[in-house]
Amino acid sequence: MDSILLQILNGLDKGSAYALIALGLTLIFGTLGVVNFAHGALFMIGAFCVVTLQRILNISTVKIDPSKTDFLGNPLEVKTPYVVNWFGEATGNAIINWSVPLAILLAIPVMLLIGYAMERGLIKHFYKRPHADQILVTFGLAIVLQEIIKAFYGANPIPAPAPELFRGSFDFGVLLGMAENSVIYPYWRLIYFAFSALIIGLVFAFLKFTTFGMVVRAGMADRETVGLLGINIDRKFTFMFAIAAVVAGLAGVMYAPINSPNYHMGMDFLVLSFVVVVVGGMGSLPGAVLAGFLLGILESFASMNQVKSFFEALFLPSIDQIIIYLVAIIILLTRPRGLMGRKGVMEE
Amino acid sequence: MFSETRKNDHLLLLLFAIVTLAGPILLAPLGAGYPDLLQRFCIFGIFAIGFNILFGLTGYLSFGHAAFLGVGSYSAVWMFKLLTMNVIPALILAVLIAGLFSLLIGYISLRRSGIYFSILTLAFAQMSFSLAYSVLTPITNGETGLQLSLKDPRILDATNTSGSLPSTNLFGLTMNSTAKVDFLGMTLQFNIGFYFCAIMLIIAFYISMRIFRSPFGLMLRAIKTNQTRLNYTGINTRPYTLAAFVISGMYAGLAGGLMACTDPLAGAERMQWTASGEVVLMTILGGAGTLLGPVLGAGFIKYFENIFSKINDNVLHNTFAFLPDGLEDFVVSILHVFVGKGWHLTLGVLFMMVVIFLPGGLIEGANRILSWLRTRGKAGDNTAESKETTTTKTAVNPAE
């Protein structure tokens, strides 16, 4: 029982990331009809917003303190970050400590801008080109973004710790009346799940309850008619693209403490998110979210030792590496439209 | 350039063979006349020709072709380890295994078309990559990569007493033996491995030409143009697309096998998505759907990769020494990002540029220039009409 609970929890944080990225992908596909291969790169840029903010906050004045020496015998260099100088010891250190949540504030305008520039500057010119061209150009963009990040930040992962308050783990077992330390779960992953649930909720609420969202949904159903009603649907779709970029970026920001940002994290997640989109059904927002969590949990279940040994008996070693793909294959063979796919989407 | 008569085809093949075989002489003045690079030209040429049979003819964009290349490499190295250092069995196994593997993946992926297909092939390639890295370590040797060792059985070969690793050979002709000839101040290097790859390339080109001209090739083009219509005519298109997929998978396997022949080791990084992206780029850059395009694209990319990776800051500083100091440092710091280890960035930018501005690739570019010269020669009479004919020509491609 406790191990099952633990696996469900473990699946949640990866599932949240899949769901957020897949949500953005579906949003872009549903509105603009473009498959964005650069979406993983947006996730990665979000994570690097944290790194950038950390670097900015840690810009320090260096004073040489002649009274102390370091272990080599040289005079000790004392580094004081500017924020500490400006806001005082306590506040300054707190700001540095909380750099990951603060990076959200940086990431939102940055991602909005990147999303807007991407759509207006590049994707706009590809609506009338074949799908293959759209895939290729966004794929090229993904390479470019990734390599730019690599050129600036290097190829090694850069650790981005969570605020100290959330570094511990939460003992779920005690809460449910089980033995102590039977189900331990890091606070930050819990926060990640809550955060992504919030974002997903916000996106859905935005689409459901605002006039803007209503127009966008109408445009997704029938773009031409909405255009004929005198609404500039292109501008609204551009904004949705930027929103999707923000969603991916925020997913990356909050993921930074779980997985140290590196330049290829985007592509690793993108491939799986594509599988998620395919399983959920192309063009279905709830499908993307559902499939994201489902596959995340499934993946962590498959890494359980009991499950592994069970599948090894069936000559399927290390099921945890391929479970997602296997599920995708089975779904595609039995339900080609995906779990919640709409009729007529991508069925040329 | 070449119209579709059989005589012209033979001429094209002959020219292609001559240029390929004279590679060491023709490319030596360009600084590309050494065996390693020439072999890569041929190997990636084969890879791109194969990819073009799928993408160029049927329009199915696969993002997982590097997986077949990797599978080919692994099977070839296993043949070297177990059976013999002769390259023929290794290549046969590489092609067969890659064919089987692509049959499996193609059977599933081809149930969907368009974007779905691209995503599925990408997912499969990533799956193979991560499997090769982790679980299949007994077969693939994980991160280290599969290498030859002295303890390998090699049951057909005479027992090795020299104490050094044997080299790959073709019935006794060792692949890495090179004849050097001094000619007009240049050293020409004639390498057995290169000639083996070159002959394979010519055969691969010939087969692809036959496919382009066959009813089968016509059917593949019909699938690209309008699959729905074919379905309504009562034709089941899936066997044709599957056949094209398997053929191009076998080409990739052959390329992977040749890679192992020239340098007997295989690593999982050959299967990564960047490698799949590279062959897509080669095909697009040269011109998808044309006969010569993929080979041109492969040669172009490998040549510039070779040049760009070699450039370091010193070379840049020397090149821009004529500029004033501050400007020089500025230019160098900008260009630094694009050269050396940053070659992939240049590749990405190039990729985007080609897709945006020249979707037909180098062949289309050449055709555009040719037609521009032609219309200029006619002193601008009925320009519109000639433009129209050239565009239809490029759309249907010159190699038809």
Side-chain angles (χ1 to χ4, degrees):
Chain A
M1 175 63 205
D2 49 348
S3 57
I4 292 178
L5 184 66
L6 189 66
Q7 293 310 328
I8 292 181
L9 288 172
N10 274 338
L12 281 183
D13 60 314
K14 243 188 178 172
S16 313
Y18 294 154
L20 283 178
I21 302 175
L23 182 70
L25 273 175
T26 312
L27 214 51
I28 293 174
F29 181 77
T31 50
L32 302 170
V34 171
V35 171
N36 184 13
F37 267 60
H39 211 67
L42 296 174
F43 175 76
M44 174 206 57
I45 289 178
F48 273 91
C49 280
V50 178
V51 177
T52 315
L53 189 72
Q54 262 185 354
R55 297 231 166 136
I56 293 174
L57 290 179
N58 281 313
I59 295 174
S60 319
T61 51
V62 181
K63 271 188 207 148
I64 293 177
D65 187 347
S67 60
K68 294 176 202 158
T69 52
D70 62 6
F71 63 97
L72 286 172
N74 300 323
L76 186 68
E77 290 182 350
V78 182
K79 287 187 180 176
T80 344
Y82 277 105
V83 269
V84 174
N85 281 344
W86 292 339
F87 299 104
E89 189 88 11
T91 329
N93 281 332
I95 291 178
I96 293 175
N97 187 11
W98 284 75
S99 56
V100 173
L102 280 177
I104 293 176
L105 298 179
L106 173 72
I108 290 176
V110 167
M111 298 314 295
L112 269 179
L113 202 69
I114 290 179
Y116 188 80
M118 226 173 115
E119 204 276 338
R120 284 291 93 181
L122 184 70
I123 312 247
K124 187 180 83 175
H125 306 288
F126 276 81
Y127 294 145
K128 290 193 179 133
R129 302 269 289 265
H131 276 312
D133 282 5
Q134 298 170 351
I135 294 177
L136 289 171
V137 82
T138 48
F139 181 75
L141 184 66
I143 297 178
V144 170
L145 290 175
Q146 185 173 315
E147 292 298 321
I148 289 175
I149 292 288
K150 188 176 159 192
F152 275 99
Y153 293 94
N156 296 324
I158 302 162
E164 259 164 46
L165 184 61
F166 303 120
R167 274 184 214 164
S169 293
F170 180 61
D171 199 337
F172 250 105
V174 176
L175 195 74
L176 299 172
M178 281 183 272
E180 259 181 58
N181 290 336
S182 56
V183 183
I184 307 176
Y185 195 61
Y187 281 123
W188 188 260
R189 297 185 179 224
L190 215 55
I191 289 174
Y192 192 79
F193 170 63
F195 177 79
S196 52
L198 177 75
I199 296 280
I200 292 168
L202 280 178
V203 170
F204 275 93
F206 178 73
L207 286 174
K208 195 95 190 165
F209 299 122
T210 62
T211 319
F212 193 101
M214 189 184 72
V215 173
V216 168
R217 275 187 295 135
M220 282 166 91
D222 190 340
R223 183 184 187 145
E224 268 179 32
T225 312
V226 176
L228 287 174
L229 291 172
I231 295 169
N232 189 346
I233 192 72
D234 286 353
R235 186 173 294 168
K236 302 219 167 355
F237 280 177
T238 308
F239 184 67
M240 284 323 285
F241 190 97
I243 293 273
V246 171
V247 169
L250 292 184
V253 169
M254 297 297 271
Y255 208 74
I258 298 174
N259 190 352
S260 304
N262 55 17
Y263 72 99
H264 55 76
M265 70 191 288
M267 206 60 192
D268 303 345
F269 267 89
L270 182 75
V271 175
L272 287 171
S273 305
F274 274 143
V275 177
V276 166
V277 171
V278 170
V279 169
M282 208 93 175
S284 158
L285 293 174
V289 175
L290 179 78
F293 283 112
L294 213 63
L295 290 186
I297 292 170
L298 214 58
E299 195 183 12
S300 80
F301 262 113
S303 61
M304 270 168 79
N305 280 332
Q306 293 94 319
V307 177
K308 259 190 188 169
S309 50
F310 173 74
F311 276 100
E312 256 158 40
L314 296 173
F315 301 106
L316 278 170
S318 73
I319 186 79
D320 54 324
Q321 300 273 341
I322 50 170
I323 179 84
I324 287 194
Y325 305 103
L326 277 185
V327 170
I329 293 165
I330 293 166
I331 296 252
L332 273 177
L333 292 184
T334 53
R335 263 187 82 91
R337 215 173 275 150
L339 289 177
M340 300 174 84
R342 280 179 292 147
K343 200 179 175 202
V345 176
M346 273 307 297
E347 288 174 358
E348 68 263 66
Chain B
M1 279 182 282
F2 293 91
S3 56
E4 52 189 290
T5 58
R6 171 154 284 202
K7 200 178 136 201
N8 272 339
D9 268 3
H10 288 155
L11 198 66
L12 178 66
L13 184 69
L14 193 69
L15 266 177
F16 183 79
I18 290 172
V19 171
T20 314
L21 293 176
I25 304 168
L26 294 175
L27 290 172
L30 292 169
Y34 55 93
D36 181 46
L37 187 62
L38 288 169
Q39 286 165 1
R40 255 183 289 155
F41 284 160
C42 295
I43 291 170
F44 280 93
I46 294 174
F47 192 18
I49 289 179
F51 183 79
N52 187 40
I53 290 176
L54 180 70
F55 177 57
L57 286 181
T58 67
Y60 276 77
L61 175 58
S62 158
F63 258 105
H65 256 56
F68 309 131
L69 186 89
V71 167
S73 279
Y74 281 126
S75 20
V77 175
W78 269 111
M79 217 57 176
F80 292 141
K81 283 169 90 73
L82 296 178
L83 205 60
T84 165
M85 290 303 285
N86 194 332
V87 292
I88 299 291
L91 283 185
I92 292 173
L93 187 76
V95 171
L96 277 183
I97 299 277
L100 279 178
F101 195 63
S102 55
L103 184 68
L104 185 72
I105 290 185
Y107 180 75
I108 299 164
S109 312
L110 283 166
R111 291 183 158 253
R112 305 317 305 273
S113 60
I115 299 169
Y116 266 116
F117 175 78
S118 305
I119 292 173
L120 276 173
T121 45
L122 178 64
F124 275 117
Q126 279 301 93
M127 180 172 90
S128 325
F129 170 66
S130 62
L131 283 181
Y133 244 120
S134 55
V135 196
L136 297 178
T137 306
I139 302 175
T140 61
N141 205 9
E143 276 185 51
T144 334
L146 195 60
Q147 287 162 352
L148 298 180
S149 85
L150 285 171
K151 279 179 275 173
D152 295 329
R154 270 188 280 281
I155 41 176
L156 286 186
D157 285 4
T159 38
N160 186 352
T161 47
S162 64
S164 59
L165 285 174
S167 50
T168 50
N169 62 68
L170 175 69
F171 303 113
L173 286 168
T174 44
M175 282 289 147
N176 50 14
S177 62
T178 308
K180 288 185 182 170
V181 180
D182 279 317
F183 176 70
L184 293 177
M186 296 175 299
T187 315
L188 303 180
Q189 306 188 32
F190 299 98
N191 174 269
I192 302 279
F194 163 71
Y195 275 102
F196 184 61
C197 294
I199 288 166
M200 284 293 167
L201 175 67
I202 294 166
I203 295 173
F205 184 76
Y206 176 70
I207 295 175
S208 124
M209 185 186 259
R210 299 301 310 187
I211 290 176
F212 267 66
R213 302 290 184 258
S214 66
F216 172 67
L218 198 63
M219 187 59 101
L220 295 182
R221 277 204 202 102
I223 290 171
K224 182 179 187 175
T225 316
N226 195 339
Q227 188 163 7
T228 324
R229 192 167 195 165
L230 276 184
N231 286 334
Y232 281 126
T233 329
I235 294 168
N236 183 8
T237 52
R238 200 173 295 158
Y240 292 96
T241 47
L242 188 60
F245 193 86
V246 172
I247 290 171
S248 77
M250 286 163 94
Y251 266 83
L254 176 67
L258 282 174
M259 256 183 197
C261 291
T262 53
D263 186 12
L265 47 89
E269 74 282 347
R270 272 181 202 167
M271 306 170 94
Q272 224 176 353
W273 58 272
T274 38
S276 301
E278 206 179 5
V279 71
V280 179
L281 174 56
M282 286 169 183
T283 312
I284 305 253
L285 178 68
T290 61
L291 266 175
L292 271 176
V295 188
L296 279 183
F300 187 89
I301 286 179
K302 284 294 148 191
Y303 179 66
F304 280 98
E305 177 182 21
N306 180 49
I307 288 185
F308 270 66
S309 320
K310 271 188 198 155
I311 299 175
N312 53 26
D313 280 3
N314 283 335
V315 179
L316 284 180
H317 275 292
N318 289 338
T319 319
F320 292 100
F322 63 91
L323 292 170
D325 272 355
L327 195 60
E328 181 192 326
D329 288 344
F330 177 72
V331 171
V332 169
S333 64
I334 297 257
L335 290 179
H336 166 81
V337 185
F338 290 93
V339 297
K341 282 181 183 165
W343 153 249
H344 276 109
L345 181 58
T346 321
L347 199 68
V349 174
L350 188 72
F351 196 114
M352 286 177 70
M353 290 298 149
V354 170
V355 178
I356 295 171
F357 297 113
L358 203 64
L362 291 175
I363 295 276
E364 189 193 315
N367 277 337
R368 270 193 207 167
I369 293 171
L370 278 179
S371 68
W372 181 71
L373 288 177
R374 228 172 271 151
T375 45
R376 236 174 59 113
K378 276 186 204 163
D381 57 341
N382 52 25
T383 332
E385 198 189 72
S386 54
K387 208 180 221 170
E388 199 175 305
T389 45
T390 47
T391 43
T392 42
K393 213 166 142 196
T394 45
V396 186
N397 86 54
E400 199 185 5

